[in-house]
Amino acid sequence: MRNSARLSVVVPVFNEQDSIAALVERIHQALSSAALRWELILVNDGSFDATHARAVEACAQYGSHVRVVDLYRNFGQTAALQAGIDHARGDLIATMDGDLQN
């Protein structure tokens, strides 16, 4: 039985078109059997490459628990994190980088 707690994973991304698919897949694999409900929020921080399109593709592939927040220009990591946190629905919030380095 799943716990009623909810986790929001917030990931700011900027020009990460080549990382989005692997990022979402790895997060989905890691959390798909978790004992709590979760969501992934990708915050597109004004990317000018195909980051937005790849993020939308990930939403279509993995479902409504993957969401995209689009910022109209690059505001920087701190502002992007805050935007994701503002959109989070979870009781718990985890943040991580979008480049698969951390």
Side-chain angles (χ1 to χ4, degrees):
M1 178 171 209
R2 290 194 176 249
N3 187 329
S4 64
R6 187 166 179 152
L7 172 67
S8 296
V9 179
V10 176
V11 183
V13 291
F14 176 70
N15 292 338
E16 299 289 350
Q17 67 183 12
D18 296 332
S19 299
I20 294 292
L23 171 73
V24 175
E25 180 181 357
R26 289 180 186 176
I27 292 171
H28 197 271
Q29 287 174 348
L31 294 176
S32 63
S33 63
L36 51 78
R37 292 179 299 137
W38 60 276
E39 68 178 349
L40 170 60
I41 302 171
L42 300 170
V43 183
N44 179 24
D45 190 17
S47 298
F48 49 84
D49 65 357
T51 296
H52 170 78
R54 302 269 168 86
V56 170
E57 290 169 6
C59 291
Q61 180 178 355
Y62 290 98
S64 62
H65 64 281
V66 179
R67 298 190 296 136
V68 178
V69 173
D70 274 311
L71 303 181
Y72 67 90
R73 70 171 179 86
N74 181 250
F75 286 94
Q77 186 176 35
T78 301
L81 281 170
Q82 187 61 58
I85 290 168
D86 290 345
H87 284 84
R89 299 174 184 153
D91 299 318
L92 307 168
I93 299 173
T95 63
M96 59 183 289
D97 291 338
D99 59 8
L100 300 174
Q101 297 297 313
N102 295 320

